[in-house]
Amino acid sequence: MGAHRWSSARLGFVVCGYFAFFCGEIVSRAEAGCRERESPNCCSGRNNECFEYSKRKTVCYCDTYCQKTGDCCEDYQRVCQISAAIDCVVGSWGPWSSCTSPCGVGSTERSRQVSIPPRNGGTPCPDLKQRRGCFGNNAICSTAKEVAKILPDSFKRNFKDPWRRPHMLMKEEKASYCVYLRVKQASAACKLKLWSAQLVKERLVCAECQSDAMSKSDRCGGDGLESIRTFWAAASVPGCHGSWVKESSSLGCRCPAYSVLFV
């Protein structure tokens, strides 16, 4: 009888011990996760210090970044009140822009807009702009390739020819015009003559187009394009050449002294 009593008591002790252990495991597992962290329970962005232990006693995280790495604590969604991650969604590409250079090598780009921004650790947006090279071949390119031939204004063309016979027809004289150009480059040979030595970088030069130098289109060859670099060469100074950019022009005018003429 006593032995039976001892056996029953031992069995009850063992059962109670297992029950206590089982209950303890349930309690400890129920309490594992973000809820057990000291304030704050949850962290934004990526924070390697924002961790706790899972039910399996492994490290889990309570920061927003854990949604990407898949190592959030099991109660993360509930405790941190975070909805599911939303990936970025972008629209279709727009058209390519015109080439930055109307003549020669340039670049063009296109863009697209964000339709749905990323939230809650979702995939970030891809590139919203693309750029590629291009080669401009505008209608004005042929003009841009013209090289202006210039002389000092001492070679005034509009003079009376003493050898002209009275019965010879006079050529129709067209109104001259002035072009103001900003010198961008000049070769070293330009320093050899006094008039061409004035053609230095960033100097504003007035070039006059007189009637005899005009082509059938009533303009002088190489008279430039606004905001586009074109080229010139000094007709009386071998090796003197450079580039300039047209800034403005004026009809029916005369350039001041020490200017240049289109040939």
Side-chain angles (χ1 to χ4, degrees), residues 57-254:
K57 302 299 180 184
T58 57
V59 174
C60 61
Y61 291 87
C62 301
D63 58 354
T64 310
Y65 194 74
C66 73
Q67 296 179 97
K68 289 185 178 180
T69 51
D71 51 6
C72 298
C73 294
E74 294 184 17
D75 63 349
Y76 174 76
Q77 297 288 343
R78 176 169 45 83
V79 174
C80 300
Q81 297 181 351
I82 299 294
S83 359
I86 299 176
D87 296 337
C88 177
V89 177
V90 295
S92 302
W93 286 107
W96 288 100
S97 65
S98 55
C99 194
T100 54
S101 173
C103 303
V105 177
S107 63
T108 179
E109 65 177 32
R110 65 177 181 175
S111 60
R112 55 185 174 181
Q113 303 296 322
V114 175
S115 303
I116 301 176
R119 290 195 294 271
N120 308 325
T123 304
C125 296
D127 290 339
L128 300 177
K129 283 189 177 182
Q130 283 185 341
R131 180 177 293 179
R132 67 183 182 184
C134 59
F135 191 87
N137 193 20
N138 198 291
I140 62 173
C141 294
S142 57
T143 303
K145 293 176 183 178
E146 294 178 347
V147 179
K149 298 288 178 59
I150 56 174
L151 284 171
D153 65 346
S154 56
F155 284 83
K156 291 290 185 184
R157 290 168 170 265
N158 293 340
F159 63 93
K160 292 183 179 180
D161 186 356
W163 303 102
R164 183 181 298 276
R165 300 285 188 181
H167 65 276
M168 294 177 66
L169 292 175
M170 295 290 291
K171 185 179 178 181
E172 181 185 359
E173 188 172 314
K174 303 172 185 177
S176 63
Y177 65 90
C178 305
V179 184
Y180 294 90
L181 306 110
R182 183 79 59 182
V183 178
K184 293 299 178 181
Q185 186 180 8
S187 63
C190 297
K191 297 178 181 178
L192 299 176
K193 293 287 184 72
L194 183 62
W195 75 270
S196 57
Q198 308 298 317
L199 300 170
V200 294
K201 187 175 180 179
E202 295 304 324
R203 180 163 188 174
L204 187 65
V205 175
C206 180
E208 186 176 329
C209 177
Q210 296 183 344
S211 180
D212 285 351
M214 292 181 187
S215 60
K216 294 179 180 180
S217 59
D218 295 338
R219 55 174 288 269
C220 288
D223 60 355
L225 294 167
E226 289 191 18
S227 304
I228 297 176
R229 182 176 295 209
T230 54
F231 302 92
W232 54 268
S236 62
V237 186
C240 176
H241 54 80
S243 62
W244 51 20
V245 175
K246 179 180 177 180
E247 293 194 355
S248 64
S249 61
S250 179
L251 297 175
C253 78
R254 298 284 186 179

